[in-house]
Amino acid sequence: MAAAEQTLTRETAFAELAAEAAVCTRCRLAQGRTQVVFGSGDPSADLIFVGEAPGFHEDKQGFPFVGQAGKLLDELLAGIGLTREAVFVANVLKCRPPGNRDPMPDEIEACESILFRQVALIEPRVIATLGNFATKLLSGRPDGITRVHGRPQEARIGERSVMLYPVFHPAAALYTPAMRKTLEEDFSRLPALLDGCNDGMVPASSGGAALSEVAPALSNEQLDLF
Ligand code: URA
């Protein structure tokens, strides 16, 4: 297939997926949302960022990371010469949990196929997971972000193998300013990872990213920003 035709097919499939997500009622969060926050950026990007869930401002505006954490994400991107338009930004959950509480395991299970299909369509080189929820879901491992941040690991998502790069959630640096330096250091490795340098990559877990594997960790462990 010619490249232009492939781009058109991808964009059409992406628009169809966004339309499907926009009317989703698969979990309780559909009742309280203003709108579904599908994600934004380049559907052909080499790099995807995956956060946790829309907050108050994201729910109102319909775009991910538009609040304070988003401002920091923009600054971290600018620090490595990237813009929002050059990457794709999404969340584990596409609807806002009430009061910005943590996602529940059944909500993640109801929503995960949209994220997996986004990844399958975009075919990124690298997925940077922001914080615990995205990291545990996409790695299929229970290891928390404090242990695994800044270390690329291989993950199987659907048919494809992809490089996962866990970093702290930007909101962590809003609560703990010293965390910003760690985030900047971890972000500084992204350009080399995108160029194909994957020294020290941790191999994929045998099972891949299925919620059934991470659900025990999600329910038994305190899952927040660290
Ligand atoms: N905004 C988002 O879109 N996702 C988060 O995880 C936090 C803020």
Side-chain angles (χ1 to χ4, degrees):
M1 199 190 298
E5 202 180 325
Q6 202 172 4
T7 306
L8 213 59
T9 311
R10 186 199 313 251
E11 282 178 3
T12 306
F14 216 65
E16 283 171 5
L17 179 58
E20 183 186 323
V23 293
C24 177
T25 54
R26 292 187 64 184
C27 82
R28 66 182 76 76
L29 298 181
Q31 287 147 30
R33 72 180 178 224
T34 304
Q35 58 198 312
V36 168
V37 180
F38 181 69
S40 67
D42 180 2
S44 308
D46 286 335
L47 174 61
I48 303 183
F49 287 89
V50 182
E52 188 175 305
F56 177 85
H57 297 288
E58 290 79 13
D59 172 70
K60 292 281 176 259
Q61 296 180 38
F63 297 103
F65 284 94
V66 293
Q68 282 298 105
K71 190 164 169 280
L72 178 53
L73 178 60
D74 287 343
E75 288 168 13
L76 291 163
L77 284 172
I80 54 169
L82 288 176
T83 61
R84 276 295 178 107
E85 293 69 36
V87 302
F88 194 82
V89 180
N91 282 306
V92 169
L93 295 187
K94 310 303 190 214
C95 297
R96 181 191 181 210
N100 296 347
R101 65 154 168 73
D102 284 351
M104 289 183 175
D106 63 328
E107 293 161 358
I108 297 175
E109 191 166 12
C111 210
E112 65 182 13
S113 70
I114 298 177
L115 178 62
F116 294 158
R117 285 159 72 194
Q118 287 177 312
V119 171
L121 286 169
I122 296 172
E123 300 185 301
R125 268 174 193 271
V126 178
I127 302 177
T129 50
L130 303 169
N132 268 321
F133 284 93
T135 301
K136 292 186 182 190
L137 177 64
L138 292 180
S139 69
R141 300 170 193 258
D143 307 318
I145 192 67
T146 303
R147 175 144 18 133
V148 300
H149 77 93
R151 293 171 59 205
Q153 51 178 272
E154 192 185 348
R156 277 208 75 80
I157 298 177
E159 305 282 291
R160 286 181 76 242
S161 171
V162 65
M163 185 190 296
L164 222 61
Y165 187 61
V167 298
F168 281 104
H169 194 289
L174 302 178
Y175 297 111
T176 311
M179 193 63 83
R180 184 181 174 124
K181 194 166 180 314
T182 307
L183 266 165
E184 284 171 354
E185 281 167 8
D186 287 349
F187 266 65
S188 73
R189 290 195 65 197
L190 273 168
L193 294 177
L194 286 164
D195 281 347
C197 165
N198 50 19
D199 294 346
M201 182 150 93
V202 180
S205 67
S206 51
L211 183 70
S212 51
E213 287 170 35
V214 285
L218 289 170
S219 50
N220 294 342
E221 206 182 299
Q222 177 68 21
L223 278 179
D224 52 32
L225 298 171
F226 308 100

